[in-house]
Amino acid sequence: METKQFKEFAKEMVDYIGNYLDNIRDRPVLPNVKPGYLRELLPESAPEQPEKWQDVMADVERLIMPGVTHWHSPRFHAYFPTANSYPAIVADMLSGAIACIGFSWIASPACTELEVVMLDWLGKMLELPPEFLASSGGKGGGVIQGTASEATLVALLGAKARVLRKARQENPDVNENDIVSKLVGYASSQAHSSVERAGLLGGVKLRLLPTDANNRLRADALQDAIRSDRQQGLIPFYAVATLGTTSSCAFDPLEELGVVCNQEGVWLHVDAAYAGSAFICPEYRYLMAGIEHADSFNFNPHKWMLVNFDCSAMWLKDPNDVVSAFNVDPLYLKHDQQGSAPDYRHWQIPLGRRFRALKLWFVFRLYGIANLQAHIRRQIALAHEFEDHVKSDSRFEIYGEVTMGLVCFRLKGSNELNETLLRRINGHGVIHLVPSKIRDTYFLRLAICSRFTESHDIKLSWNEVRSLADEVLAEERPGN
Amino acid sequence: METKQFKEFAKEMVDYIGNYLDNIRDRPVLPNVKPGYLRELLPESAPEQPEKWQDVMADVERLIMPGVTHWHSPRFHAYFPTANSYPAIVADMLSGAIACIGFSWIASPACTELEVVMLDWLGKMLELPPEFLASSGGKGGGVIQGTASEATLVALLGAKARVLRKARQENPDVNENDIVSKLVGYASSQAHSSVERAGLLGGVKLRLLPTDANNRLRADALQDAIRSDRQQGLIPFYAVATLGTTSSCAFDPLEELGVVCNQEGVWLHVDAAYAGSAFICPEYRYLMAGIEHADSFNFNPHKWMLVNFDCSAMWLKDPNDVVSAFNVDPLYLKHDQQGSAPDYRHWQIPLGRRFRALKLWFVFRLYGIANLQAHIRRQIALAHEFEDHVKSDSRFEIYGEVTMGLVCFRLKGSNELNETLLRRINGHGVIHLVPSKIRDTYFLRLAICSRFTESHDIKLSWNEVRSLADEVLAEERPGN
């Protein structure tokens, strides 16, 4: 493909994208296809000769769109939001054109340096303690990971390396396998599934501890578990506190947990994947009080801060244990400036990395902090609008508390009734929700996801829930 | 940013990208900046109010480009190529607009289904054995990983899960920590640094075995290591064969190694990160003979097959051990169609994933197999042109053999002399190379990277090497 054709093709795609997003509300949010739908529509193998871009473009609408779940429809309320914004899309275009692999400073200095500064900008927007920022001149600093799952794993591996380093310092002949077999990490039973997975991947025990009635991990539960494990000869080394759980958006009290972790020499990782974006608004920072106790902090601008996936921001007070955990340093990756700037390959699981800091730079500059704050506040206000609708109908109840953009709710009554309602809602295809279940209580989760969501969308979503509840309840009635 | 502004901004970026790539040859390949250059040029924090996109656009050229290493310049010969093509850039734009997170089938059926079919298309282009393909109707299938490092780690974790599963079947009360502490994996001393890193991450021993004079891991070396480890009570479980090593593009003989692995019940993972793309040309498939013995196979279309990073293709004959190694399955990720299509989150380290199959689809259709083959063949021919230049100058020698797009060479003489030459070359800034060292022999690596490379670029690169060698050798002479 020549440059001239590219310009035509890409500009056609720009128009397609603008029109797709302008009219996304009109598409059914969930596709009506069965597994295997696409194979039947595609040739069995790649073409020998090039096709026309116009044909590919036509097939996007003909073959792909019928199988797309439209995450940016205002009627998509499943999971948590994933970001999508025009500035981020344009930044990614530039990233694709430069297409450098920023594994070391020399591999593209701008790629590393913009990331260092953008993570400082972002840390300041959240009022992170200065020890986390590179601009403070200390050891700390930030990095863009692909996902929160990777951040949780990287922190766990850093914590593991720290324990092993200390054990070697005390006894150079220590049996490392013996140490590893005794390591134990902690999170709440409400932590994201990727925390449990990080334990599996890292080959260490990871206990999921019970929470209080508000689904928060409390200091006493953590302290009891640590004490009991030490009595059994185990080595507590890592704890994950969640700010904004996936099931119900509960916030673990960092102030309490942080004191325990610091006293016990346990690495505290804070997973604020979804809710972290809200901390750019001062009025929500009370939810991260105690952050100064943490060793590492992570949230996903690619969820709720209008930076397209993937962009998971992680800060470390002392990256040295992470860096040394992964450090293999072949000659072909060495360079003369090593040590005077981060070589980010040592901070992450993969070797390669794209120029993702461009997305942060474009989004910060083209929205400005004020508009990013407005986005968060507007989405939280919409969640409260939905909450009010639910509360206005005595057949329903709110589960937990609406703090951010997530509303957990249920029909008063059995889990089965609510399962029936959810199946009916998703089957009807106008809106899309996923459920959750905590301590035998099944409920529906409605997340405000799309940046296009307006009051009338919330009204429509509520009307959909209410009218399908009418149906379900009518069918439940004796005599039917 | 409104849609109207986006269309203007994005189209301006399209023109910028076309012009950047059309004229990339005129930019210095390596930037002339010092660590910290960018911080001085940027504000200390993000702006409160939005800026104009025209200002951001201007700053790309003013602030970013001076710090970019131009990986797509025909004068960039470092590392291995990373892909950049117009069809892939446009596909990524669409991926950014749809911005679905394809962790399960229901999260966007098209995202999963296009990936399944594209990995079949690609597997057929390479003539992979049918057991690796989903279209064969067996257990096998392909997946897009972010990087080869992740594929190596995923395979290692799958192998570990397989051993543990078998041990539990034989003895339900087996001590898993005891098993893990005895596990040992193998690769050649020439394997990529990420293989060693996978061992560190996975918490298992990983031996780097000596190679033959042609830098290949031979069956006897592997067999000896396995035998010796078994005698010591260890459990050999995993081996990585490399097709196209990073240092010198050596190919481990799969036919030999595969027989040993199959006999010993050791999981064989094949890392063809760079060279795998060449197997779309039938004349290079002799280098993958024995692939039928492998359990998993991986190569990076994002290196040499014109699909922008990240797109690392991995096939597994039996994904079940990988899937069960990672499987944590919360209610909010369950769906009704589970089991009838892959839920790719179980096949990878992160939970989230972009719609990357679009890049494969666009590239396959808009190049066609014939042009992708022509790209590989042209780049290998250019490597041979450079080889001929080197051979025409008796002061130089070729290190190893030129099989693909990599030429390893050195001045006859000391390592120090060659280190001086490399420093001179990179310092002069016209071309960019990185070195390697095998068994105390230091050499320079010249990789054909840019898809824009032509004969006259190779000639220029050679003239640069030759004239700087003139200088270095003149300074070496007694009397200077």
Side-chain angles (χ1 to χ4, degrees), chain A residues 233-453:
Chain A
L234 298 177
I235 307 173
F237 82 114
Y238 181 60
V240 179
T242 309
L243 300 182
T245 59
T246 308
S247 275
S248 68
C249 206
F251 291 77
D252 290 339
L254 273 194
E255 278 178 304
E256 286 182 26
L257 298 175
V259 171
V260 174
C261 288
N262 291 175
Q263 278 171 356
E264 298 283 351
V266 163
W267 180 302
L268 176 61
H269 176 69
V270 177
D271 171 9
Y274 164 64
S277 295
F279 303 147
I280 62 171
C281 302
E283 68 271 29
Y284 293 112
R285 278 184 211 137
Y286 75 95
L287 292 164
M288 66 187 281
I291 186 66
E292 66 279 6
H293 297 297
D295 294 281
S296 47
F297 174 75
N298 167 243
F299 86 99
N300 291 343
H302 72 226
K303 278 201 164 63
W304 204 15
M305 226 183 65
L306 299 170
V307 182
N308 274 60
F309 188 89
D310 51 337
C311 181
S312 181
M314 180 186 195
W315 290 265
L316 293 145
K317 264 190 199 158
D318 181 357
N320 287 323
D321 283 308
V322 165
V323 166
S324 65
F326 299 162
N327 199 335
V328 291
D329 216 4
L331 183 60
Y332 50 80
L333 294 179
K334 284 190 198 295
H335 60 91
D336 291 342
Q337 306 289 349
Q338 273 180 216
S340 46
D343 283 333
Y344 274 131
R345 72 179 181 280
H346 300 311
W347 296 50
Q348 61 174 20
I349 309 283
L351 172 61
R353 56 205 327 274
R354 290 188 303 139
F355 197 162
R356 293 175 292 198
L358 289 170
K359 289 188 287 199
L360 287 172
W361 196 43
F362 278 38
V363 166
F364 293 155
R365 294 185 64 184
L366 295 172
Y367 278 94
I369 296 174
N371 281 317
L372 293 172
Q373 290 171 328
H375 167 69
I376 297 289
R377 288 172 180 143
R378 192 168 50 236
Q379 294 224 318
I380 295 177
L382 290 166
H384 286 300
E385 283 186 25
F386 190 84
E387 180 188 20
D388 290 342
H389 288 306
V390 173
K391 285 182 170 169
S392 72
D393 187 328
S394 63
R395 299 171 303 173
F396 285 89
E397 60 191 358
I398 295 288
Y399 178 90
E401 196 186 342
V402 179
T403 324
M404 301 273 121
L406 179 71
V407 185
C408 298
F409 67 102
R410 64 197 305 281
L411 275 170
K412 293 171 186 167
S414 70
N415 287 348
E416 292 66 33
L417 180 68
N418 282 285
E419 285 173 35
T420 305
L421 175 60
L422 182 82
R423 241 191 330 268
R424 189 71 57 97
I425 291 171
N426 286 332
H428 202 231
V430 174
I431 64 174
H432 182 39
L433 310 182
V434 294
S436 196
K437 195 180 198 173
I438 298 180
R439 277 186 293 268
D440 294 327
T441 301
Y442 179 100
F443 54 88
L444 282 63
R445 294 169 75 266
L446 183 137
I448 310 296
C449 291
S450 165
R451 67 183 163 93
F452 307 115
T453 312

Side-chain angles (χ1 to χ4, degrees), chain B residues 140-213:
Chain B
V143 61
I144 299 176
Q145 303 282 356
T147 59
S149 323
E150 287 162 272
T152 305
L153 178 59
V154 164
L156 181 144
L157 294 168
K160 192 172 161 185
R162 187 167 80 175
V163 170
L164 289 170
R165 177 173 54 78
K166 286 185 182 168
R168 274 193 303 269
Q169 280 167 356
E170 287 167 20
N171 172 10
D173 301 324
V174 70
N175 179 334
E176 296 202 4
N177 280 320
D178 187 51
I179 303 272
V180 171
S181 73
K182 291 177 181 161
L183 293 179
V184 53
Y186 308 93
S188 102
S189 59
Q190 294 303 309
H192 191 263
S193 55
S194 59
V195 178
E196 187 181 349
R197 211 154 175 257
L200 289 173
L201 291 167
V204 295
K205 281 178 266 301
L206 208 137
R207 296 205 198 294
L208 299 181
L209 304 175
T211 56
D212 70 9

Side-chain angles (χ1 to χ4, degrees), chain A residues 3 11 22 36 39 44 51 59 67 69 71 84 96-97 106-107 110 113 120 124 197 308 345 348-349 365, chain B residues 3 15 22 36 39 44 51 59 67 69 71 84 86 96-97 107 110 113 120 124 197 308 345 348-349 365:
Chain A
T3 301
K11 288 175 184 178
D22 273 353
R39 186 183 289 280
E44 282 188 18
E51 301 181 44
D59 282 349
T69 303
W71 283 59
N84 175 326
I106 193 69
E113 300 215 359
D120 277 347
K124 288 175 190 169
R197 212 154 175 256
N308 274 60
R345 72 179 181 280
Q348 61 174 20
I349 309 283
R365 294 185 64 184
Chain B
T3 302
D15 287 332
D22 274 352
R39 185 182 291 279
E44 282 188 19
E51 302 182 43
D59 281 349
T69 302
W71 283 58
N84 176 325
Y86 289 136
E113 300 215 359
D120 276 348
K124 287 174 190 170
R197 211 154 175 257
N308 275 58
R345 72 180 182 279
Q348 59 173 20
I349 308 284
R365 295 184 64 183

Side-chain angles (χ1 to χ4, degrees), chain B residues 223 254-264 268 293:
Chain B
Q223 185 69 71
L254 273 195
E255 278 177 304
E256 287 182 26
L257 298 175
V259 171
V260 174
C261 289
N262 291 173
Q263 279 171 355
E264 298 282 353
L268 176 61
H293 297 297

Side-chain angles (χ1 to χ4, degrees), chain B residues 279-290:
Chain B
F279 303 147
I280 62 170
C281 302
E283 67 270 30
Y284 293 112
R285 279 186 209 135
Y286 75 96
L287 293 163
M288 66 188 280

